[in-house]
Amino acid sequence: MSTQTAESKRITTKTVLAMKQRGEKIAMLTAYDYSTARLLDESGVDVILVGDSVANVVQGLETTVPVTLDEMIYHTKIVRRGVKRAMLVADMPFMSYQTDIKEAVRNCGRMLKESGAEAVKMEGGKRIVPLIEQLTDIGIPVMGHLGLTPQSIYKFGTYEVRARESAEAKKLLADAEALDRAGVFALVLEKIPAALAAKVSRSVSAAVIGIGAGPGCDGQVLVTNDMLGMNEQFHPRFVRKYADLSATMRGAFQTYIAEVKTSKFPSKKESY
Ligand code: KIV
């Protein structure tokens, strides 16, 4: 296959926007390591997100607040090696883009240069519009994130559904429109009422990717570890379990332990 053909099949910001325009749903999942990224890419997922949910599902932390920029760059770099076709997006962690705009631009540039991500994702509404304008102007594509924004957990105090009240719903729509005008190519809406998410999807030209935001979005995202059933403690209504890897992994580990203890493993065939 020529490079041209291979490249023309890669998912880019242009592809994502074209998918929205022709009504083709966009499938996005998270990855934090090479092996999972390779399986996702080979399965045909459109967008792979190295989410700061790495804090919860890989690092065992309660919130996404402590993850550092260096850790996000490390995980994105190893995911990059497994991705040939999907678009690769990396989350900017808390406090890597909220202070000085110059520092934020430099940090987003570091993410692209050092990790191989093709776009950055960041949480926030109108407040981050000047940053998004600068980033898109210098060629760094941005995916926004509104609704439940886990980096603000200490402000909101809960992971409950956001924007149920009309004032918050109005603000969310205005924020989405402001991010759209600033140039985001896509926008994650997390845990908001389905009717509001559908309205936002119709109102903006960016591709709207929902998580707990109903079927009216242009695409869907789930945390891969959750949809694989790897976290038995976490089962909110919006996570559909496509596998029960906890049970599969436990079973495999227990069988291995038993076989080692009873000298059934390794066999002669497995020895040199
Ligand atoms: O960090 C993450 O995985 C995310 C998704 C839930 C969208 O932001």
Side-chain angles (χ1 to χ4, degrees), residues 28-32 49-57 64 72 91 121 123 143-145 148 150-151 188-190 209-211 221-224 226 238:
M28 174 160 121
L29 283 167
T30 65
Y32 318 99
L49 170 70
V50 184
D52 59 358
S53 51
V54 69
N56 311 114
V57 299
T64 58
M72 289 306 300
D91 245 336
K121 178 167 89 55
E123 299 178 6
M143 176 181 279
H145 185 154
L148 175 63
Q151 290 178 10
V188 168
L189 293 182
E190 181 165 353
I209 317 280
I211 173 163
V221 57
L222 285 174
V223 169
T224 296
D226 296 341
F238 66 83

Side-chain angles (χ1 to χ4, degrees), residues 63-252:
T63 78
T64 58
V65 169
V67 188
T68 67
L69 180 59
D70 284 340
E71 287 167 344
M72 289 306 300
I73 290 175
Y74 168 76
H75 282 280
T76 310
K77 217 172 180 175
I78 61 177
V79 163
R80 172 76 274 169
R81 297 180 194 136
V83 182
K84 291 196 168 77
R85 174 190 169 273
M87 177 167 189
L88 181 59
V89 182
D91 245 336
M92 294 303 291
F94 183 57
M95 292 313 285
S96 67
Y97 61 96
Q98 285 93 340
T99 51
D100 175 46
I101 200 160
K102 268 194 187 158
E103 189 196 347
V105 171
R106 214 171 287 123
N107 286 340
C108 293
R110 258 196 82 193
M111 177 58 86
L112 255 68
K113 282 174 78 90
E114 295 178 32
S115 77
E118 291 148 332
V120 293
K121 178 167 89 55
M122 53 185 63
E123 299 178 6
K126 283 183 184 156
R127 193 183 50 76
I128 59 168
V129 159
L131 172 61
I132 293 171
E133 282 170 348
Q134 277 212 30
L135 291 171
T136 50
D137 192 43
I138 60 175
I140 300 181
V142 181
M143 176 181 279
H145 185 154
L146 294 171
L148 175 63
T149 46
Q151 290 178 10
S152 309
I153 180 59
Y154 295 128
K155 176 178 169 191
F156 297 114
T158 84
Y159 288 106
E160 286 303 300
V161 177
R162 308 291 321 172
R164 278 197 201 273
E165 307 296 329
S166 77
E168 196 184 341
K170 257 189 176 167
K171 183 181 178 306
L172 188 142
L173 181 59
D175 277 340
E177 288 172 345
L179 296 187
D180 197 43
R181 280 193 300 274
V184 295
F185 77 98
L187 177 59
V188 168
L189 293 182
E190 181 165 353
K191 230 175 163 187
I192 63 167
L196 174 61
K199 188 171 176 185
V200 173
S201 308
R202 288 192 302 271
S203 308
V204 298
S205 51
V208 173
I209 317 280
I211 173 163
C217 301
D218 304 307
Q220 298 293 326
V221 57
L222 285 174
V223 169
T224 296
N225 298 50
D226 296 341
M227 61 87 82
L228 291 177
M230 292 178 78
N231 183 358
E232 288 151 321
Q233 277 82 48
F234 185 67
H235 29 76
R237 121 158 49 158
F238 66 83
V239 175
R240 185 177 296 179
K241 273 197 193 176
Y242 287 85
D244 187 1
L245 283 205
S246 289
T248 306
M249 288 169 81
R250 260 185 231 288

